[in-house]
Amino acid sequence: MKVYKTHEIKNIALLGSKGSGKTTLAESMLFECGVIKRRGTVEANNTVCDYFPVEKEYGSSVFSTVFYAEFNGKKLNVIDCPGADDFVGNAITALNVTDTGVIVINGQYGVEVGTQNIFRTASSIKKPIIFAINQLDGEKADYDNVIEQMREIFGPKVTPIQYPIACGAGFNSFIDVLIMKKLTWGPEGGTPKVEDIPADQHDRAQELHKALVEAAAENDESLMEKFFETEHLTEDELRLGVRKGLIDRSIYPVFCVSAVKDMGVRRMMEFLGNVVPFVDDMPAPENTAGQEVKPDPAGPLSLYVFKTTIEPHIGEVSYFKVMSGTLRAGDDLENVTRGSKERLAQIYCVCGQIKTPIDAIEAGDIGATVKMKDVRTGNTLDAKGVDWEFDFIKYPAPKYQRAVRPVNEADAEKLNQILTRMHEEDPTWTVEQSKELKQTILSGMGEFHLRTLKWRVENNDKLNIVFDEPKIPYRETITKASRADYRHKKQSGGAGQFGEVHLIVEPYTEGMPAPDTYKFGNQEFKMNVRDTQEIPLAWGGKLVVCNCIVGGAIDTRFIPAIVKGLMDRMEQGPLTGSYARDVRVCIYDGKMHPVDSNEISFRLAGRNAFSEAFRNANPKVLEPIYEVEVFVPSDVMGDVMSDLQGRRAIIMGMNSENGFEKITARVPLKEMSSYSTALSSITGGRSSFTMKFVGYELVPGDVQDKLLKEYAEKSQNED
Ligand SMILES: Nc1nc2c(ncn2[C@@H]2O[C@H](COP(=O)(O)OP(=O)(O)OP(=O)(O)O)[C@@H](O)[C@H]2O)c(=O)[nH]1
Ligand SMILES: [Mg+2]
């Protein structure tokens, strides 16, 4: 296979909402450039890009797939990305290692939430964007409506290059206003018949051509001058202007296709080959030291590994982009991220599952290698003497959590190792061993995302795992003052134990005055504070302990043991066993025994006195509250709102924008556990949401009663 020069390479990401037709479009692209002789379909599970069994099972893409298309002497490296919000990490990675994003829009549905999300991501990292309106052959396709919606949402930079003469079953031709021709396909699609524009389309074609010429001229002074003089640009001038406009994001060209019928695909590839920027036209990325790294084939050799995975029949595969230099098969490199050495014995050009060995890969190009010792997603591999590192991809925070455990308890350690490796493969999976919940918490982007991880652990590592509901990190606190005393006494042979503690508990708030006098019934208790300890709690809030002992009723040396006893119960609250917070305790009296008093006695006395006082202090359970932002199309707004209300949500705001709604609400974490799945089913996948922790609030009375009952039953069973 030919080694392509840097200036012959273009890297393109196929993006867009779930089911818009990216994988089908990839199939037609591969067919058009002769890589495959027959086009597969997603339905028949025989496409080049959806080759993992799990993708065949879901009927949609789960992983990004790299393929290349040699077209008119250029190499187009294309990455077909999954559109589902669950797998957005793949799309973000692909966007970062390519130079142009083709956002595929389903002409039957128009702009979807997924379209907007990926557009926002592309904008934040300043990538050129091309839109492809697909499924124009579909029954409900409506080009004019989609363009109008796109203009509303993405603004006047939306610039049609083509428009169809008819949509729906009759779609078989369009007018191209860049080359000013009419293109028509037979039932097989493929190569179109190219004709002059018919008279009845003349005016519309001229108007759009003029808009395109103006948009193209805007990006170059000499083109602008020529445009003012002649109101005309040649095709080559147009291409130059559009390329510049793409790079500085002042034009979003719009194409028309039917991926399934292979119409318009060849023409779009021509544009990708002729107009979109080459690797070396784009601003150079920076390494971690802030140096710009140009894709120079003669420069120092440095590779960025953007994806590692285990593939059917092959094993571990590492995908990389050559950031600088020229990689040759057999090169010895250093993994600067992990400090290990690697030999790249074989290097490949990739086309889905098919890997073709190649002798060299130049800067800017994308390739793969196998059987690396210790290479993870996001690592940089450098030639000896080079110390560049890249770390430019920012991933969103995960928003779906499950507790995970192995079916066989003995596999716990093995599972931990696997999960760590899975995170290194896909940074949008994160794992945390929660001491508080006594669970391993796995977080990801959604139910399908975690299900995919389960699939991989069970299939690749042959380890069966179970997901459980994650426990909720409740907190406990009190709402009024209360008093208790407790005597711990044990005299069953040997040394005895004796300790007695009298204390008062009350809610603690920052800046409250020092304790003075308390009244319980008709008894008054006057405090004489000798010493105050403020203990910040690792789980939030404080425990404040005032030593108000008078007359040496308890020796000062036992105070730390009593505080330990209080902390025992702060760590395992008396109501539900959750962490307690924001309590002030005054230890004001007690008793010692000259022989039997020791630390353990006072620890137990302190613990039990605290438990009793806490229970009588009108205690409350607090639950974590999250701020949730939901993006949905307007037509499902009512259903989404009523679902949220069923989740005890407090709606904070609603914003309507271009036919989409953004709802902001505060929702208890407990009610969010199945949210991503529910939202996806209410909206048919046309939605997304984010969530972030805001604080703790009291749970309603009925919820508290239920929690207390559950805890009491559980404690009884454990006794
Ligand atoms: N009518 C029609 N259907 C299409 C066209 N392109 C794709 N489809 C159908 O749309 C469905 C989704 O197509 P895919 O190619 O899997 O879409 P995708 O964008 O890769 O989806 P994800 O990978 O889930 O993001 C399939 O049933 C395709 O057959 C088209 O041009 N016209
Ligand atoms: Mg797909």
Side-chain angles (χ1 to χ4, degrees), residues 483-533:
R483 197 197 67 81
D485 42 60
Y486 191 91
R487 172 180 296 178
H488 174 77
K489 189 173 166 188
K490 211 163 138 193
Q491 268 157 344
S492 49
Q497 291 186 351
F498 185 94
E500 185 172 319
V501 172
H502 300 207
L503 50 74
I504 291 169
V505 300
E506 65 186 323
Y508 169 77
T509 49
E510 209 66 49
M512 69 194 288
D516 185 11
T517 307
Y518 296 89
K519 224 177 144 185
F520 298 103
N522 37 25
Q523 248 187 313
E524 256 194 21
F525 296 82
K526 173 111 181 89
M527 294 296 120
N528 187 350
V529 184
R530 297 172 51 192
D531 174 43
T532 301
Q533 253 188 83

Side-chain angles (χ1 to χ4, degrees), residues 76-93:
L76 308 180
N77 288 314
V78 186
I79 307 184
D80 171 31
C81 299
D85 205 28
D86 279 46
F87 308 112
V88 66
N90 285 267
I92 291 176
T93 307

